[in-house]
Amino acid sequence: LLDKPAILVVTKMDSKGAERTFESLREDLNNFDRLLENSSGQFDSDILPARRITFSDVVPVSAKFSPKTVDYLKWRVRDVIDYHELEKAREAEAVLEADLDRTLADKTNIF
């Protein structure tokens, strides 16, 4: 699952103080590695993950008061899926090209 695209959706953005909390969360996520380094010794190493999830985006949503944020979330999900599928296709194309180059080189003894 850690290799799959992920979007963190922060809901209840209509709550009091939500914007400030959201910005703090976003900053903490951007500085997560440094936060872990600064808190060394506070956590048992057995509970720390070997790898952590990487979010393609962090999207604030207020479904109650802002349906546009839900629409934006739908758009971002589609965009992230399309981006990652395109990257997979590019990687597969590069592998095929390398295989073709090797095959042609073997057949023609040019390299």
Side-chain angles (χ1 to χ4, degrees):
L1 287 176
L2 292 176
D3 295 324
K4 301 287 183 186
I7 297 175
L8 176 61
V9 180
V10 180
T11 62
K12 304 296 183 190
M13 287 302 297
D14 48 87
S15 300
K16 184 178 179 182
E19 286 184 34
R20 184 179 54 236
T21 303
F22 176 76
E23 288 307 317
S24 177
L25 171 66
R26 183 176 244 162
E27 186 177 314
D28 288 347
L29 287 171
N30 288 335
N31 299 312
F32 189 76
D33 292 330
R34 192 178 65 204
L35 288 171
L36 274 180
E37 288 173 13
N38 292 342
S39 65
S40 65
Q42 289 182 342
F43 302 104
D44 185 0
S45 61
D46 292 340
I47 67 167
L48 295 175
R51 284 179 49 204
R52 70 178 181 92
I53 193 167
T54 302
F55 296 108
S56 297
D57 200 357
V58 181
V59 179
V61 173
S62 172
K64 183 176 182 181
F65 294 111
S66 182
K68 288 181 181 181
T69 60
V70 176
D71 290 338
Y72 175 75
L73 174 61
K74 291 176 188 177
W75 175 83
R76 278 303 291 148
V77 168
R78 178 78 262 159
D79 189 49
V80 167
I81 290 170
D82 290 346
Y83 172 81
H84 285 280
E85 287 301 313
L86 182 60
E87 288 299 307
K88 283 182 2 185
R90 286 181 180 155
E91 290 171 9
E93 183 179 350
V95 168
L96 288 173
E97 285 178 3
D99 287 346
L100 180 60
D101 289 345
R102 268 195 307 278
T103 301
L104 289 173
D106 289 346
K107 297 236 184 251
T108 59
N109 291 324
I110 292 176
F111 298 104

